[in-house]
C-alpha cells in the first residue's frame, strides 16, 4: 500500500527552482532528454519542447521539458508505469519541477498521484504530493510515498490543472529516501508512523475507505452527503487521495456517515481504527467519535465508542482507537458522529484493520546501575549552592537545621544509609509556582533503571495561606513528570517520596522543586535520587509472607487397634484452594470470550465489575434503569462460586456523575441518592461481600458540595441499614505511591477517622493501585501508615502500565509481593488482565491473540509460589508436619493394604500449630 505523505503542500517560489539531484532515480527518462520516451498521456497529448523552448517558455537553466496539452478534464495529464521500478517496504522521495500555460488562470493545483491496481475492478488513487503552480514561473512539487505491499500494477502520474490549461513538466524524480526523514505536517508524520506496522489496504474491513469511488458502500445517518474532489474544489485539500466525504445537513449529534461491516469482522480479533476528519460550519471545534453499532438477534442494541478526537475547521485530525468483537451479533456497522447538528463532518479516510502484533520485546539490558548511589551532586550543600540554580527569579541560599535522619521510605531502600548533613536550600523571591531550586542531571541517568526520589521539604511563612504543596519534578526534553508531592506548612519538615524511570535517552534532564504559591519560600533538604535494586527486598518479603500467610500443620495417622505404623508411609499434600483473595475486575462484554473466562477462572478467586454496577451505567438517563449486564455477571460469579466486590454505589467525582444528576435540586438529589441505594442493595441483597460506598472522596466533592459534608457518613449508614452483612469500603487512588498530595496516607487516615467519628460503619480500606514505576519501600511506607487506622486493607484496582512486557512483569511483582507480605492487607484485586478489555493501555497480562505475556507468566508464577504442594514420608510416630499457606487441602496417604487414603481439610489463619487426625479404622 502507498501511504501518503509527508511534505506540506508547497506554494510557488519567486525564484527559479534549485537544480534537482537525479542520482538514485528509478524513473525512465526523468529529465526528458530523450523526448517523452517512457511517458504517455492520460486522455491527452504529450509533447516535447525541444531545446528551443515552447511558445517563449524555457525550462529551468534552459533545459527541455514535456507538455500535457489538449486537456479537457482536470484528471488528465502524463503518466509512467513504475510497477517494476519500485519495491515493497521501501520509502521514496518524489520531486517534480512543473509549470502551467494556456488559457488565463490564477494558478492551479498540480498533484502527483499513484494509481494502485490490486486485480479488482476498482483501483485505488493515492496523492503523494501537491503544489500550487502558475504560468509565470517554475515550481517544485515534493512528496513521499511508501509501498507496504506490492499491487499488481503501480502507475505514477501528474494531474490537476483545470481543463484547457497545459501542464509543463521539466523534471520528475522518484528515488529511495536516504536517510528516511519524516518531513511535512505533524499529522502526516503521525499517520505514517501509525501505519508503519499495519497491514495493507486489502486487510481493511472498511470498503472504499478513501472515497475514491464516491459514496459507494457508504450510507448516511440522519444527514445528506457527497464527495468533494480536490481537482474541482481546492478550498479544502484532502490529506490522502484526491477526494473526501462530507456529511452535511445533520439533524442530531448521532448523524454522520456509516458503513455496514457485519460479514467482514472476525470475532476475538483486535482492530485498529484510524480516520482523518475535520469539521465545517459555525462550530469551530467539536469532538468527533467513531462508533461501533451492534444489534443482537433479540433486537437489543449496543453502541461502543471506538475512538474520539477533537476536530476543528482548519486542519485534518487523526482519530485513532481500537475495538474487538467477542460475540457475533446479527448486524454490525461503524459510523462517525459527535458534532452539534448543522455542523458538517468531513472524512478523508476511514480504516479499520487487524491490529499488527510486533514480536515480543526482549528484557531491557541494564549495565552497572550503581544501586543506592545518589546522582545529585553537592546534595549535602557542603559547598554552598554550587551546581544548584534557581529557576526563574528564585534566589537560593543555604541554611542549617533540617533533619539529619534519612526519610523513612528511603531508609527502607538504603539499609546502609548515613545521616544527612542538616543543611537545606532556601528558594526566596519566587514570583511563580514553578520557581525553586534545580540541578541538571542529564548525564547521570540510565535507561530502564528505577530511580527513587527522597527529600525533606517545608515552606516559609505562609501568611494564612494553608494547604501549600511541594513536588519534586523531573523535566525531560520539555515535558515533566512528578517525583513525589506532599502538602507542607511552615512548622515542620515533611518527607517527599516518589519514583521514575526513563525509556528514551534524554537530550536534557533537570530535577527541581516547585509548588508553593508565589512569595512563599520553599525549603529543600537532603534530596536524593538513586537507583533501586527492587529485587533486594524479595528475601525479606518471602520471609514476611511465610510468617503471616502460612501455618504449621501436623497430620497424625491413627491406625486401627493402635497398631504399629510401618516405616516409609508416603504422604502427598496438595493445596486445592487459597484463602487469600486474589481477584480481578471483569466486564460483561468480555465474558463472551471463552478464553477470557478460562483465564479468569484458573487464576482468580474474587471478582469486581468494571462498570456494570456503577450508577452511571445502570441509570444513564433519569428513570431509565437497566440491570441486565449486572444480573448476568452476578449469575456468572454465583455459578462459579466467585465472591464479589460491589463497585460502586456512588461516585464523588463530578465527571463520573450523570448529567441529569447535575440538574437536580438538593432535595431531589438526596431522594435520587436514597432510591439508588435502596434499589441496588435490595436487588442484590446477600450477593456482594463488599461495597465501595462512595468512590474517590479524596478527589471529588459532587454530593458533598450539593448537599453538605454530612452526606458522606450518611451514605455509609444508609448502605449498612440496607445491607448489614456487607463490608463497606472507602476507596481511593495514589495513596500508595507518593505522587498526589490530595491522597497522601496521612490525609486518607484523617478522612477515614472523621467518617468513623461521624458514625460511618466503615469496615475496610481500599487502595486502588493504579501505579507507574512502583518501589516496594514506598508502598510499604504507605501501607504502614494506613495500618494505623486498624481496619483491613485491600488493593482494589491494581494495574501496571509499561510498553515492555518484561518491565510490566517486574513492576507487577513488586506490587504483589509487597502487598501480599504486609500483615494489614487482606486481599488483592487487579483491574483487568486481557488486552483490549482494560481501561489502561499496556497493562494487560494476556495478549489479544491469547498469548500469556511476561506479566501474565509472572502472575502465574507468584500464584504457584504461594501454593503449597509437597510430598514425603511419615515419621515413625505416625506424624507428618509441614508449613502451608492458608486454604483448602487434600492429603493422600499410601498405607499398605488400604491403598491410597485421601482426606480433605482446611488450614485457617492461626498462630498455633494445626493438628489433623486421620483415622484408619
Amino acid at each position: 500500500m502507498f501511504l501518503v505523505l509527508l511534505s506540506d503542500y508547497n506554494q510557488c517560489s519567486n525564484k527559479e527552482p534549485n537544480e534537482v539531484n537525479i542520482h538514485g532515480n528509478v524513473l525512465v527518462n526523468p529529465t526528458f532528454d530523450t523526448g517523452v520516451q517512457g511517458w504517455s498521456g492520460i486522455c491527452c497529448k504529450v509533447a516535447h519542447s525541444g531545446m528551443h523552448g515552447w511558445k517563449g517558455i524555457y525550462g529551468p537553466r534552459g533545459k527541455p521539458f514535456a507538455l500535457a496539452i489538449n486537456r479537457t478534464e482536470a484528471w488528465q495529464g502524463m503518466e509512467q508505469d513504475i510497477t517494476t521500478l519500485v519495491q515493497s517496504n521501501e520509502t521514496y522521495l518524489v520531486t517534480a519541477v512543473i509549470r502551467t500555460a494556456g488559457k488565463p488562470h490564477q494558478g492551479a493545483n498540480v498533484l502527483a498521484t499513484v494509481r494502485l491496481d490490486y486485480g479488482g475492478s476498482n483501483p485505488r488513487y493515492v496523492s503523494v504530493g501537491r503544489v500550487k503552480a502558475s504560468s509565470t514561473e517554475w515550481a517544485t512539487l515534493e512528496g513521499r510515498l511508501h509501498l507496504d505491499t506490492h499491487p499488481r500494477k503501480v502507475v505514477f502520474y501528474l494531474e490537476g490543472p483545470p481543463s484547457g490549461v497545459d501542464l509543463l513538466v521539466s523534471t520528475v524524480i522518484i528515488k529511495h529516501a536516504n536517510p528516511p526523514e519524516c518531513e511535512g505536517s505533524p499529522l502526516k508524520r503521525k499517520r505514517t508512523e501509525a501505519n508503519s506496522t499495519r497491514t495493507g489496504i486489502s486487510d481493511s474491513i472498511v470498503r472504499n475507505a478513501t472515497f475514491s469511488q464516491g459514496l459507494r458502500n457508504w450510507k448516511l445517518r440522519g444527514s445528506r452527503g457527497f464527495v468533494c474532489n480536490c481537482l474541482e474544489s481546492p478550498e479544502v485539500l484532502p490529506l490522502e487521495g484526491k477526494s473526501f466525504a462530507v456529511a452535511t445537513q445533520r439533524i442530531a449529534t448521532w448523524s454522520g456517515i456509516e458503513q455496514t461491516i457485519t460479514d467482514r469482522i472476525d470475532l476475538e480479533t483486535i482492530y485498529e481504527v484510524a480516520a482523518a476528519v475535520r469539521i465545517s460550519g459555525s462550530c469551530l471545534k467539536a469532538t468527533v467519535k467513531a462508533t461501533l453499532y451492534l444489534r443482537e438477534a433479540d433486537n437489543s442494541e449496543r453502541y461502543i465508542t471506538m475512538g474520539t478526537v477533537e476536530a476543528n475547521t482548519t486542519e485534518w485530525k487523526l482519530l485513532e482507537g481500537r475495538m474487538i468483537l467477542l460475540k457475533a451479533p446479527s448486524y454490525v456497522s461503524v459510523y462517525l458522529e459527535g458534532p452539534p447538528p448543522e455542523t458538517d463532518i468531513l472524512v478523508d479516510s476511514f480504516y479499520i484493520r487487524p491490529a499488527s502484533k510486533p514480536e515480543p520485546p526482549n528484557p531491557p539490558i541494564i549495565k552497572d546501575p550503581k544501586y543506592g548511589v545518589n546522582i545529585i551532586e553537592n546534595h549535602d550543600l557542603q559547598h554552598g549552592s554550587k551546581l544548584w540554580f534557581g529557576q526563574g527569579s528564585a534566589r537560593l541560599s543555604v541554611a542549617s537545621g533540617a533533619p539529619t535522619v534519612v526519610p523513612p521510605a528511603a531508609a527502607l531502600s538504603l539499609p546502609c544509609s548515613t545521616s544527612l548533613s542538616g543543611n537545606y536550600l532556601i528558594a526566596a523571591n519566587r514570583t511563580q509556582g514553578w520557581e525553586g531550586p534545580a540541578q541538571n542531571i542529564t548525564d547521570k541517568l540510565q535507561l530502564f533503571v528505577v530511580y527513587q526520589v527522597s527529600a525533606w521539604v517545608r515552606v516559609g511563612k505562609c501568611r494564612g495561606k494553608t494547604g501549600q504543596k511541594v513536588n519534586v519534578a523531573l523535566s525531560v526534553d520539555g515535558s515533566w513528570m512528578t517525583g513525589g508531592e506532599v502538602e507542607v506548612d511552615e512548622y515542620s519538615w515533611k518527607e517527599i517520596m516518589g519514583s521514575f524511570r526513563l525509556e528514551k535517552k534524554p537530550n536534557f534532564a533537570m530535577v527541581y522543586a516547585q509548588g508553593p504559591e508565589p512569595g512563599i519560600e520553599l525549603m529543600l533538604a537532603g534530596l536524593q535520587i538513586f537507583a533501586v535494586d527492587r529485587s533486594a527486598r524479595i528475601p525479606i518479603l518471602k520471609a514476611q509472607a511465610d510468617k503471616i500467610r502460612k501455618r504449621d500443620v501436623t497430620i497424625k495417622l491413627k491406625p486401627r487397634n493402635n497398631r504399629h505404623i510401618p516405616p516409609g508411609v508416603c504422604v502427598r499434600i496438595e493445596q486445592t484452594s487459597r484463602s487469600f483473595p486474589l481477584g480481578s475486575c471483569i466486564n460483561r462484554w468480555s465474558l463472551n470470550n471463552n478464553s477470557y473466562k478460562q483465564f479468569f477462572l484458573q487464576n482468580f478467586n474474587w471478582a469486581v465489575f468494571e462498570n456494570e454496577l456503577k450508577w452511571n451505567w445502570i441509570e444513564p438517563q433519569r428513570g431509565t434503569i437497566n440491570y441486565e449486564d449486572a444480573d448476568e455477571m452476578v449469575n456468572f460469579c454465583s455459578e462459579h462460586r466467585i465472591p464479589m466486590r460491589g463497585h460502586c454505589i456512588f461516585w464523588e467525582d463530578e465527571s463520573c456523575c450523570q448529567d441529569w444528576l447535575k440538574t437536580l435540586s438538593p432535595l431531589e438529589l438526596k431522594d435520587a441518592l436514597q432510591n439508588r441505594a435502596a434499589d441496588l442493595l435490595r436487588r442484590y441483597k446477600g450477593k456482594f461481600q463488599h461495597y465501595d460506598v462512595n468512590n474517590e472522596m479524596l478527589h471529588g466533592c459532587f454530593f458533598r458540595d450539593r448537599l453538605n459534608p454530612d452526606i458522606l457518613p450518611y451514605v455509609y449508614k444508609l448502605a449498612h441499614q440496607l445491607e448489614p452483612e456487607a463490608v463497606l469500603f472507602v476507596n481511593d487512588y495514589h495513596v500508595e505511591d507518593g505522587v498526589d498530595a490530595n491522597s497522601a496516607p496521612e490525609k486518607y487516615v484523617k478522612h477515614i477517622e472523621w467518617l468513623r467519628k461521624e458514625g460511618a460503619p466503615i469496615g475496610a480500606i481500599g487502595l486502588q493501585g493504579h501505579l507507574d514505576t512502583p518501589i516496594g519501600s514506598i508502598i510499604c511506607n504507605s501501607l504502614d501508615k494506613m495500618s494505623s487506622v486498624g481496619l483491613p486493607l485491600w488493593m482494589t484496582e491494581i494495574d501496571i502500565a509499561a510498553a515492555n512486557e518484561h518491565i510490566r512483569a517486574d513492576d507487577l511483582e513488586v506490587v504483589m509481593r509487597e502487598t501480599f507480605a504486609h500483615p494489614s492487607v487482606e486481599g488483592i484485586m487487579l483491574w483487568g488482565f486481557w488486552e483490549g478489555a482494560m481501561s489502561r493501555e499496556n497493562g494487560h497480562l494476556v495478549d489479544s491473540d491469547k498469548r500469556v505475556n511476561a506479566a501474565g507468566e509472572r502472575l502465574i508464577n507468584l500464584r504457584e509460589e504461594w501454593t503449597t504442594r509437597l510430598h514425603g514420608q511419615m515419621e515413625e510416630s505416625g506424624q507428618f508436619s509441614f508449613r502451608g499457606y492458608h486454604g483448602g487441602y487434600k492429603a493422600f496417604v499410601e498405607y499398605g493394604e488400604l491403598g491410597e487414603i485421601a482426606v480433605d481439610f482446611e488450614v485457617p489463619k492461626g498462630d498455633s500449630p494445626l493438628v489433623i487426625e486421620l483415622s484408619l479404622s
Side-chain angles (χ1 to χ4, degrees), residues 338-384:
E342 301 300 327
T343 299
D344 296 345
I345 301 177
L346 283 58
V347 189
D348 179 84
S349 59
F350 190 170
Y351 297 108
I352 299 180
R353 296 176 262 217
S356 59
K357 295 297 294 185
E359 288 296 317
N362 294 319
I365 298 174
I366 301 174
K367 297 181 179 179
D368 190 20
K370 295 181 173 57
Y371 292 127
V373 177
N374 190 3
I375 67 172
I376 299 296
E377 296 191 70
N378 189 25
H379 58 89
D380 56 6
L381 305 174
Q382 296 293 339
H383 305 287

Side-chain angles (χ1 to χ4, degrees), residues 127-288:
S127 174
V128 294
R130 183 183 283 111
V131 73
K132 190 82 167 181
S134 78
S135 60
T136 59
E137 58 209 355
W138 292 93
T140 301
L141 178 154
E142 293 180 321
R144 178 185 292 252
L145 58 87
H146 180 82
L147 189 62
D148 280 348
T149 58
H150 208 295
R152 293 189 179 183
K153 190 173 184 180
V154 184
V155 178
F156 172 86
Y157 64 97
L158 296 164
E159 60 174 333
S163 62
V165 175
D166 300 325
L167 174 59
L168 286 55
V169 185
S170 170
T171 304
V172 186
I173 304 297
I174 299 179
K175 62 181 180 180
H176 287 87
N178 187 25
E181 302 158 347
C182 283
E183 303 169 354
S185 69
L187 175 56
K188 289 186 178 180
R189 287 196 298 270
K190 183 177 180 182
R191 188 183 196 121
T192 303
E193 291 164 2
N195 277 321
S196 62
T197 58
R198 288 182 181 156
T199 52
I201 181 63
S202 59
D203 290 321
S204 176
I205 62 175
V206 175
R207 291 174 176 166
N208 188 22
T210 59
F211 307 99
S212 60
Q213 302 164 46
L215 288 176
R216 183 176 180 179
N217 302 114
W218 295 93
K219 59 184 178 180
L220 285 304
R221 292 171 56 94
S223 64
R224 294 182 179 274
F226 61 91
V227 169
C228 181
N229 189 308
C230 68
L231 300 180
E232 300 168 354
S233 301
E235 292 82 7
V236 176
L237 298 176
L239 184 70
E240 178 175 348
K242 298 191 293 182
S243 55
F244 56 87
V246 181
T248 189
Q249 299 180 36
R250 299 172 55 252
I251 63 174
T253 58
W254 50 262
S255 302
I257 190 167
E258 179 180 27
Q259 185 169 139
T260 301
I261 59 171
T262 308
D263 299 328
R264 302 194 296 276
I265 188 167
D266 294 327
L267 299 183
E268 299 186 13
T269 297
I270 288 189
Y271 289 90
E272 293 177 337
V273 180
V277 298
R278 64 194 291 174
I279 59 174
S280 178
S282 58
C283 179
L284 300 181
K285 291 184 179 181
T287 298
V288 175

Side-chain angles (χ1 to χ4, degrees), residues 43 324 423 528 602 723 781:
C43 298
I324 184 172
N423 297 329
Q528 297 190 76
Q602 288 177 345
E723 179 57 294
N781 179 276

Side-chain angles (χ1 to χ4, degrees), residues 687-750:
K687 299 288 187 181
F688 288 90
Q689 283 70 25
H690 300 170
Y691 277 105
D692 295 331
V693 177
N694 193 10
N695 201 36
E696 298 172 1
M697 288 180 282
L698 296 178
H699 291 91
C701 53
F702 180 78
F703 297 105
R704 182 182 66 196
D705 284 356
R706 283 163 174 79
L707 300 173
N708 58 61
D710 292 340
I711 197 65
L712 302 185
Y714 170 78
V715 294
Y716 280 85
K717 299 173 189 176
L718 176 64
H720 181 68
Q721 178 184 349
L722 293 165
E723 179 57 294
E725 298 302 318
V727 179
L728 305 184
F729 275 67
V730 290
N731 190 48
D732 230 301
Y733 61 91
H734 283 327
V735 178
E736 61 289 300
D737 57 9
V739 303
D740 186 352
N742 292 325
S743 51
E746 294 84 354
K747 277 202 166 186
Y748 205 14
V749 168
K750 185 177 180 181

Side-chain angles (χ1 to χ4, degrees), residues 547-552 883-884 886 907-914:
K547 181 179 180 180
I548 65 173
R549 306 298 179 198
K550 286 184 173 182
R551 187 173 180 180
D552 290 325
R883 185 167 176 81
H886 307 143
V907 178
K909 294 179 182 179
D911 296 326
S912 60
L914 178 68

